[in-house]
Every structure is written in C-alpha cells, then in structure tokens.
Amino acid sequence: MTSLTPTLQAFFTERLMRDRRASPHTVAAYRDSFRLLLTHIASTTGKTPAGLDWPDIDAVAIGAFLHHLESVRGNSVRTRNARLSAIHSFFRFAALRHPEQAELIQRVLTIPEKRFDKALVCYLTHAEAEALLAAPDRSTWTGQRNHALILLAVQTGLRVSELTALRGDDVVLGTGAHVRCYGKGRKERCTPLTKESVATLRAWIRTSGTDPQGALFPTRGCDRPLTRSAVWRLIAKHASEASELCPSLAEKRVTPHTLRHTCAMGLLERGVDLATIALWLGHSSLESTNPYLHADMALKERALARTTPANVAPGRYRPTDEILTFLRGL
C-alpha cells in the first residue's frame, strides 16, 4: 500500500466526517468523485486503485480525467467542476501531511474550473403553478400526498432534500404556522405558511395519520420518506399531466428546483427585497439570489419606464397597422 491510500482514508474520516461534519450528501458526492478518479487512472496505468501513488495522480492525469468526464461520460461542465472541487479539497488536506509532494500538489491546485454558460432560471407562472397543483388526483392517498408536497414546495421554496427530510413535528399549524427544516451548512430555518398551505397540510396529516417523529411525506405502505429521485419523478409525472390543460408546461423541464425558483420569483414579483428572499431560501449570500433579478422581465421594464425621457410618453412601441405588426414579428 502506498502513502496515497491512508491519506485518502484520513481525508474522509478525519477532515470530512470529524472536523467538518460534512452531510451524508457531501460525503457521498466526494466518494463518487474519487471512485471515478481512481478507477479511471487505474485503467490507464494498469495498476490497482490501492497501488496508485502520488506521481500517478499528477495534474496531467487529473486533467485527462476531467476531459474523460465530459467527452466519454457526457457530464456537464457543472459536474466536471464539482468533481474538481472535491479533488482540490483533498489536495489541500494532503499538503499538510505530505510537504515532500508540494510541487505536485500545487500544480493540481492550479487546475482552474471551467467556465460555462448561465441560462436564466426556469420558473412557473401563476397559471402553470395552478395547473400543476390541480394535476394530482386528491381523491386518492397518493394524490393528496403529492398535492400537499407540491404546494409546500411552491410556497416555501424548500430544497428537495429538505422536503424529504421533514418530520411530522417539523410542521406547526397553529398560531404562527411555519415549517422548520435543516438546510445546507447545517443551518436551521423556519418558513411561514399561508392559510392554504395550513389547510392542505392539516388535511394531509389527518388522512395519513403522520406520527410526530415519522416522515411527513412517506412512501405508500410504509413510514420511509420519499427519496429525492421519487420526488423528481412524481413532479415530472404531474407536470406532464398538467401540460394537457396548460400547454406552456410542455416547453419547460419541471423539477423540484423549478418549484424553488417559482417561490423566489413569486416573492420578487410581490416586491419582497433580495435579502429577505435569501433568508427565505436559506442562501448563504446574495450572490445566489441575484439570478432572480435577471429573470424578472417586469422588474426590468419598470426600471426602463423610470428612465424614459420626460418629453416621451412611457410604454412600448406598438404598431397600429396589421401589416407592420406582421413585419415586426418576423
């Protein structure tokens, strides 16, 4: 066994689990990154993963691995950068234990993240959200659960992992109704509930007989909480059903994060400031909330209206002639 193996083991057990108390999701993501890295390098060198040494995982080898992720595995740039972030974290840890490998480690740490195009956030309009909420058949147990979950996601903007982790006693439906969750960075936050959400959740809890310590949204026939992939599937299913009545839904990829964006855009459209929205969503900084400003066309139009010269009537140019309207639309 080389010195690389015990260092990697210490990185997971000491740095991630003991010192940083990383979440299970973070540990799993880092684990998968190194499984892919070691498997790829072992296949190119002819060694076993446990037999790899520091010279085998230099900057050239890691650069080839990152290229492999995109060209062979078809991973996105975001995924490639996430894998690189895990590798950087390990090499910063290794720098403290192996100063003799300082040059190799420094070269790996200088591998830059790849830039990528940033699209506008995808969110649902009010009509689309209403169509999605109407899709589940509320005469069934599953339909009531799915409706309550989607409504809670749209109203609170909880992440999918936060939704699936909710327990019965995380929901307070009396005076000052709210839902309590633990988000990224082990931060606890409370989000207020609307009257509609309170009524829906109260009916769901009565129907499901949710135990205070049991999952708020369990799978059918047992008390295990829904998995994140199950929530993705049920939202995609109901979005497909709702697109029959609301065709614009068919043009959007509706995911749990789309519902989170929908919540944020709804708050922004009602005049809620960015700092409050960041607290509502559990963002660590306003930089994570700024993309919603770019997606809000109404906000930009109001800004444009305020910059209209005093001698010019506000508003957009609208052709009054039918043929000019046709030509403008080409």
Side-chain angles (χ1 to χ4, degrees):
M1 180 186 298
T2 66
S3 63
L4 174 63
T5 298
T7 305
L8 184 60
Q9 292 173 334
F11 170 69
F12 278 92
T13 58
E14 297 178 19
R15 172 58 65 85
L16 291 183
M17 297 180 181
R18 188 191 67 188
D19 298 340
R20 294 182 57 187
R21 296 182 61 202
S23 70
H25 298 305
T26 300
V27 173
Y30 278 44
R31 174 204 66 199
D32 294 341
S33 296
F34 281 96
R35 287 176 62 185
L36 290 171
L37 173 65
L38 298 179
T39 301
H40 172 74
I41 295 180
S43 66
T44 59
T45 60
K47 299 181 179 180
T48 63
L52 295 176
D53 206 349
W54 294 102
D56 298 316
I57 59 169
D58 60 5
V60 175
I62 290 176
F65 166 69
L66 297 174
H67 178 71
H68 167 80
L69 291 178
E70 293 185 83
S71 61
V72 179
R73 293 184 61 87
N75 290 162
S76 67
V77 176
R78 289 179 183 270
T79 300
R80 179 256 191 203
N81 288 346
R83 304 298 189 201
L84 178 59
S85 178
I87 294 170
H88 279 170
S89 182
F90 167 67
F91 273 84
R92 283 192 292 269
F93 171 77
L96 302 175
R97 293 187 167 226
H98 295 279
E100 74 280 2
Q101 302 293 341
E103 183 178 355
L104 182 148
I105 291 172
Q106 185 58 36
R107 287 179 179 176
V108 171
L109 292 177
T110 57
I111 298 176
E113 290 191 346
K114 200 169 187 178
R115 300 179 67 180
F116 54 89
D117 297 331
K118 296 182 180 179
L120 293 176
V121 296
C122 176
Y123 65 97
L124 305 184
T125 64
H126 180 73
E128 292 168 343
E130 289 297 320
L132 180 61
L133 286 167
D137 180 7
R138 279 177 273 175
S139 65
T140 66
W141 185 93
T142 303
Q144 288 187 47
R145 180 200 64 190
N146 295 355
H147 173 78
L149 186 150
I150 294 172
L151 177 61
L152 187 63
V154 170
Q155 195 253 292
T156 63
L158 295 182
R159 300 177 178 92
V160 62
S161 58
E162 295 166 348
L163 284 169
T164 57
L166 289 176
R167 303 293 175 181
D169 58 2
D170 290 329
V171 179
V172 177
L173 300 179
T175 303
H178 65 273
V179 60
R180 180 177 61 251
C181 74
Y182 291 89
K184 293 176 67 175
R186 298 185 179 276
K187 292 179 294 188
E188 180 182 9
R189 74 180 191 276
C190 295
T191 307
L193 297 173
T194 63
K195 292 182 179 179
E196 181 185 7
S197 297
V198 169
T200 299
L201 288 172
R202 183 174 284 123
W204 164 242
I205 291 173
R206 184 168 55 249
T207 298
S208 63
T210 301
D211 183 86
Q213 297 300 319
L216 181 62
F217 300 115
T219 57
R220 182 67 169 171
C222 66
D223 293 330
R224 290 197 303 270
L226 287 170
T227 63
R228 291 185 296 170
S229 58
V231 175
W232 277 66
R233 288 194 299 270
L234 73 85
I235 289 177
K237 170 192 171 185
H238 292 310
S240 177
E241 296 169 348
S243 65
E244 297 180 4
L245 296 177
C246 186
S248 61
L249 275 173
E251 302 173 2
K252 297 182 177 180
R253 182 171 178 264
V254 184
T255 69
H257 223 65
T258 306
L259 306 187
R260 181 170 165 83
H261 294 327
T262 301
C263 170
M265 292 302 298
L267 293 172
L268 187 62
E269 290 169 358
R270 289 166 177 79
V272 180
D273 62 276
L274 280 184
T276 302
I277 295 175
L279 290 173
W280 190 290
L281 298 180
H283 286 164
S284 57
S285 69
L286 288 180
E287 290 184 7
S288 301
T289 315
N290 284 335
Y292 298 116
L293 287 174
H294 296 283
D296 191 351
M297 186 58 67
L299 182 68
K300 295 176 181 178
E301 289 184 346
R302 289 195 296 270
L304 180 63
R306 288 196 292 269
T307 61
T308 302
N311 60 343
V312 176
R316 285 185 172 184
Y317 166 72
R318 300 183 183 279
T320 56
D321 188 88
E322 292 182 2
I323 188 64
L324 291 181
T325 302
F326 165 76
L327 293 174
R328 182 177 176 82
L330 294 178

